[in-house]
Amino acid sequence: MNSETPHILPGGETVYVIDTKLASEHLATMLGRFRSGNSEPLIFGDAGQPEAVVIPWAEWQQLMALAEDEEGFNHLYDQTRERLANRGDEPSVPIEDVAAELGWDLKGDDDSEHPKP
């Protein structure tokens, strides 16, 4: 694929953007590349500005899982901050109760067995 326009990102990295019409003509080619193991994304847009990207399905699933993990973490973090702020004279909660609420197994020997929040 030629007709790529270099675009410099705020951090100094350069990405190459192809025109939207050209990108549409190369979707079948991109699918073939993904199937062969080449996961380099297709970045496209108009006037050399990156506006969209095509990535392999497996990478998209990984990104979604990471986003869900972060949302779960943020929820737990906010909940913990709220509990601490409104604690007053309430007794502390035993770690076993917290672990049970989060679905964590504190008896496992290997950290990899613990589900991530």
Side-chain angles (χ1 to χ4, degrees):
M1 286 181 224
N2 44 17
S3 302
E4 297 176 326
T5 303
H7 177 82
I8 300 173
L9 300 173
E13 182 182 359
T14 300
V15 295
Y16 294 89
V17 181
I18 69 169
D19 180 77
T20 302
K21 184 176 187 292
L22 185 60
S24 69
E25 295 169 5
H26 288 285
L27 287 177
T29 302
M30 290 303 298
L31 185 56
R33 288 178 56 210
F34 293 161
R35 287 176 178 163
S36 71
N38 183 344
S39 62
E40 184 179 344
L42 171 68
I43 302 168
F44 63 97
D46 295 324
Q49 296 297 311
E51 297 181 67
V53 63
V54 178
I55 61 173
W57 174 255
E59 288 187 21
W60 183 81
Q61 287 179 306
Q62 290 173 345
L63 291 172
M64 293 306 296
L66 288 172
E68 288 172 5
D69 282 351
E70 185 174 329
E71 288 173 9
F73 173 81
N74 288 340
H75 170 73
L76 293 173
Y77 182 77
D78 292 342
Q79 188 177 43
T80 302
R81 287 186 60 153
E82 182 181 331
R83 284 181 178 174
L84 289 173
N86 298 326
R87 194 174 100 176
D89 293 328
E90 294 178 27
S92 63
V93 178
I95 189 68
E96 292 80 10
D97 293 351
V98 174
E101 182 178 336
L102 299 175
W104 291 350
D105 176 13
L106 297 179
K107 297 177 184 173
D109 294 332
D110 183 5
D111 284 341
S112 65
E113 294 177 11
H114 299 272
K116 303 225 187 260

